[in-house]
Amino acid sequence: MDKVTKERISLLHPSVRAEVTKIIEQCDKALTGRAKIRITQGLRTFQEQDQLYTIGRSKPGKKVTNAKAGQSIHNYGLAVDIALIIDGKTASWDTKADWDGDKKSDWMECVAIFQANGWDWGGNWETFKDMPHFEKKGYKWRVLINKKRDKENYVML
């Protein structure tokens, strides 16, 4: 597991840090070739969320999210976005590539591991497919936004 991924895990909600670490380790073990998993996004502040929301609306570019501040599970540290890092340097979001030659898409191997550990994949969403996105099952922003926060500002689950 690379340093960037470890740092991003350390900012996730405390209740999922060990679980995400285990999932990433399982993915890296399954990917026996040139690809390794990297968390590209974990906890996202409300301000960061609002900045992303403006892309494709008041800022140029293609829309990257339909969620305003508080409406993303990222805002609570209960979601991650991933990429595959090829040969330790190039990021890939190719969902079909088989970098380890085992006749299975490396991306889909990771999807299966996340799902086996109780995480939902944004690639299964009906209206706004978010292929790099995984979130812990059972949490909805409409509930989380009103929860009390602990001394480190994480919602109390």
Side-chain angles (χ1 to χ4, degrees), residues 31-97:
L31 304 178
T32 58
R34 300 168 42 207
K36 294 295 176 199
I37 194 170
R38 171 172 291 167
I39 294 177
T40 59
Q41 182 79 83
L43 178 67
R44 190 181 299 142
T45 67
F46 280 32
Q47 181 181 5
E48 290 168 330
Q49 189 68 41
D50 273 340
Q51 288 171 354
L52 283 177
Y53 186 78
T54 64
I55 299 170
R57 292 175 178 86
S58 60
K59 288 185 182 174
K62 183 180 176 189
K63 288 181 185 177
V64 294
T65 184
N66 282 332
K68 296 178 182 178
Q71 296 177 345
S72 170
I73 299 300
H74 281 288
N75 300 145
Y76 307 95
L78 297 166
V80 296
D81 292 345
I82 66 163
L84 296 179
I85 302 299
I86 313 306
D87 298 329
K89 57 188 170 190
T90 305
S92 172
W93 290 269
D94 186 332
T95 61
K96 295 181 178 150

Side-chain angles (χ1 to χ4, degrees), residues 73 78 118-120 135-141 143-144 147 157:
I73 299 300
L78 297 166
W119 288 64
D120 285 325
E135 61 185 53
K136 182 69 177 164
K137 280 185 184 177
Y139 295 103
K140 302 292 180 206
W141 70 265
V143 174
L144 294 171
K147 290 236 178 215
L157 302 176

